[in-house]
Each structure stands twice: as C-alpha cells, then as structure tokens.
Amino acid sequence: MTPHFTLAELTHTDHRLLDNTPNATELVNLKRLAEFLETVKTTLGGKPIMINSAFRSKAVNDAVGSKDSSQHRLGLAADFKVPGMAPDAVVRALLHLPYDQIIREFSDPVAGGGWTHISIADKPRRQALIIDKQGTRIFA
C-alpha cells in the first residue's frame, strides 16, 4: 500500500478463522490510512510503528467486542505501538496532525503498556482522548 505499511499488516487478525477481507471501498480507505500512517512515521522521526489492529470486518469487530460504529470497520483507524515511546508521548507528538481521533488507550504512567489509536476522516474532529479503566476523558 505504501513503503512502510502493507495490506497484510493492516488486515492482520489473530482471529484466523474469521474472514477479514476488505471490500473495494474499505481498500480505498486503507490506502488513505496507510498514507496517513506514513506521515505519522515521519513525524515520529522514522521510528517503527507496530500495528496491533487496523481494518476489522464485522465478524472480527464483533469478536473483539468493539462497536459497529468503530472506524476500524471502515478501514480508517489503526491501533499501534511505537517501541521506546509511551503512548502519552506518541499522542503529544502527533497532536498537530489532521487526525479525526487520537486516543491513548489503556496505558498506565507507572505500569506502562497500552497503545495509541488514530483515525482519519474527511472532516477531522481532532478529538484527543484517553480511554482506560477510569473511563473516557479528554487528553490533556
């Protein structure tokens, strides 16, 4: 799709028995997402971006317990980790980009862990959020 992001990487699922094949519209969206992720990679100084989840078919999305309204269903979102960078630092570094949502998910400042969710849209809302055991709130 782009120099650093393949279709296989953006459609990978651990739910191997479930079909996770995007349709034509979802493929176009995944291409846009891959191009945006190239900008993310450049902004982060070329650091590796390890995709946990991007496109999810309805079956895969249901299996992971996500909402049907998830932008992952459209091929417009990715969850990722950047080795050597905490999700908070990733979010701060990307706040100036034209994302729809950027979310620090399930990261603990002491325990670590978690990942960053980023999505794109034709009219970006530029929502920066935190989702963790305490709920959902604005990233500050």
Side-chain angles (χ1 to χ4, degrees), residues 38-93:
E38 290 289 347
T39 301
V40 167
K41 184 175 181 65
T42 299
T43 301
L44 297 176
K47 289 183 173 27
I49 295 176
M50 312 304 290
I51 305 293
N52 300 338
S53 177
F55 174 73
R56 295 184 198 142
S57 67
K58 176 155 179 45
V60 170
N61 202 58
D62 289 350
V64 300
S66 188
K67 297 177 183 175
D68 277 340
S69 60
S70 169
Q71 288 173 299
H72 288 277
R73 287 279 298 113
L74 303 172
L76 294 172
D79 296 340
F80 64 95
K81 295 181 180 187
V82 180
M85 283 187 83
D88 276 10
V90 172
V91 170
R92 278 191 210 95

